[in-house]
Amino acid sequence: MVLEEVVSESGYLGRLNGEQQDALDAFKVKLEEFLKENPECVPVEEINRKSAELNGYQMELIYLKFLRARTFKLKDSFNLYSEYLLWKAHFQDDLGVDNISTAYIEKEMRLKKGFMFGSDRDGRPICYIKLANHKKSESPFNEAEAFVAWFFEMLKRSPKPPNIETVMTIADLKGIGMENLDMALSKVWSDLLASKYPEGLGICLLVDAPWIFSAFWKVLRGFLDVKTREKFVFISREQLKDYVDLDQLPTEYGGTGGDYVMENDPVWVLGKKLDKEIEERLAKKKEEKEKKL
């Protein structure tokens, strides 16, 4: 498969035409003005862009995702990004996405609702979603929502190979029933995919979908734009080897890559590294709040 982020002659960092460069420059000017008016929205990764945890993270890669998502229309692109920053800062009563610690989402993580393992044949990291491991009656919405938001943010910030800006998602639908089909959470997921973390999905393989998923998918696909919907492909478990080499697949999916270990998961490793920053940031926030009393 030929990846757009690898072969495209324009629209990507280092491959911008004149109009695109002008749009990026104007985007950064508008952002500076926006952050002066909304200081609580300054991205943590911007503040700490030189820290080791971010591994050379480049903010312009993110700006360009929002610009591409709206075909470099400055107003539309910046509105999308500013809405993302406001959502991120005020998530769950001002907890903020950047302040979600691994302790807060550990229960969801250990249930293996979402995890990372291996790379596809194009070098994209692979994100797994095991829908059967999510049960609405056993998972409070705020905890599940926080996990999804944290997971998307860690995916965004996790190191990727040069020129790779997207991930492959393998959605394992084997064994699902009505208890696993959570429309409220799926709406959150589709909104993050389309509006908060655009241009991050390369392809999503829907594996072993049972008949019960059909009606659910008809509703869910309505929340996705046409370009995103085209990235979803229904396949069987046996067809995974057509997309991923066996040594990159975990044992449970018929691969030779070994067993999944949460402590080695790239998103978990990154999250643990950021926990200390979160602790310090929340302590400072609490101190400032107490001074105002």
Side-chain angles (χ1 to χ4, degrees):
M1 186 180 297
V2 179
L3 302 185
E4 181 180 351
E5 62 253 46
V6 175
V7 301
S8 179
E9 295 182 358
S10 66
Y12 291 82
L13 198 61
R15 289 172 280 161
L16 301 177
N17 61 36
E19 290 183 0
Q20 291 168 345
Q21 184 63 57
D22 289 344
L24 176 59
D25 292 341
F27 187 100
K28 289 190 286 187
V29 171
K30 289 178 70 68
L31 177 60
E32 186 176 350
E33 296 170 352
F34 173 82
L35 293 179
K36 285 179 181 178
E37 298 176 2
N38 302 274
E40 79 282 6
C41 291
V42 176
V44 168
E45 59 266 35
E46 175 67 33
I47 297 171
N48 300 332
R49 65 189 304 169
K50 294 181 181 179
S51 70
E53 288 85 354
L54 297 176
N55 198 32
Y57 189 87
Q58 298 182 66
M59 292 303 297
E60 288 186 347
L61 290 175
I62 302 303
Y63 305 157
L64 285 169
K65 285 177 181 287
F66 284 85
L67 284 162
R68 289 197 304 272
R70 294 296 181 267
T71 60
F72 282 85
K73 294 175 182 175
L74 179 60
K75 182 179 178 180
D76 294 343
S77 301
F78 188 76
N79 284 345
L80 193 66
Y81 186 64
S82 60
E83 287 169 6
Y84 158 71
L85 291 180
L86 288 165
W87 164 81
K88 192 178 173 188
H90 300 293
F91 180 77
Q92 290 194 356
D93 297 324
D94 293 341
L95 165 64
V97 174
D98 287 329
N99 293 327
I100 299 174
S101 66
T102 55
Y104 190 44
I105 54 82
E106 183 171 357
K107 174 187 169 185
E108 299 285 301
M109 189 77 181
R110 290 198 179 280
L111 287 171
K112 286 179 66 178
K113 295 184 181 183
F115 62 93
M116 289 184 72
F117 188 101
S119 303
D120 70 5
R121 287 179 177 162
D122 294 304
R124 293 176 295 200
I126 302 175
C127 161
Y128 287 80
I129 297 173
K130 297 195 72 171
L131 200 56
N133 289 358
H134 174 70
K135 296 182 179 179
K136 292 180 287 185
S137 62
E138 298 176 7
S139 183
F141 180 77
N142 66 313
E143 293 181 10
E145 180 190 40
F147 174 68
V148 173
W150 174 87
F151 197 82
F152 266 83
E153 187 66 18
M154 292 301 102
L155 278 177
K156 183 192 82 174
R157 297 175 65 175
S158 294
K160 298 175 182 64
N163 297 322
I164 299 296
E165 297 189 27
T166 57
V167 300
M168 168 184 278
T169 295
I170 294 176
D172 185 353
L173 306 176
K174 183 178 181 180
I176 63 171
M178 289 302 297
E179 175 70 349
N180 312 115
L181 299 176
D182 190 335
M183 183 55 73
L185 191 62
S186 295
K187 285 182 179 179
V188 170
W189 184 84
S190 59
D191 176 58
L192 298 192
L193 186 65
S195 303
K196 305 299 190 295
Y197 299 90
E199 298 285 306
L201 178 67
I203 185 172
C204 181
L205 304 178
L206 300 166
V207 183
D208 288 348
W211 66 269
I212 196 172
F213 185 72
S214 300
F216 186 81
W217 173 243
K218 285 181 181 178
V219 176
L220 182 59
R221 71 194 303 271
F223 297 111
L224 303 171
D225 58 78
V226 175
K227 184 178 179 181
T228 302
R229 284 202 301 267
E230 291 174 348
K231 296 178 181 181
F232 286 76
V233 182
F234 286 86
I235 68 168
S236 66
R237 219 174 194 79
E238 292 69 32
Q239 290 175 297
L240 278 173
K241 63 181 183 297
D242 296 334
Y243 296 85
V244 186
D245 291 331
L246 291 178
D247 64 355
Q248 295 296 310
L249 281 172
T251 305
E252 64 180 302
Y253 288 92
T256 60
D259 296 329
Y260 169 76
V261 178
M262 189 184 86
E263 287 71 20
N264 297 334
D265 189 319
V267 295
W268 182 256
V269 171
L270 177 58
K272 293 297 286 184
K273 286 182 178 179
L274 296 175
D275 276 349
K276 183 173 177 56
E277 289 183 15
I278 292 172
E279 184 180 348
E280 293 173 351
R281 194 159 53 244
L282 290 178
K284 183 179 180 181
K285 188 176 181 181
K286 181 180 179 182
E287 184 180 339
E288 292 174 349
K289 187 176 182 179
E290 289 175 347
K291 285 181 180 179
K292 293 178 181 179
L293 297 177

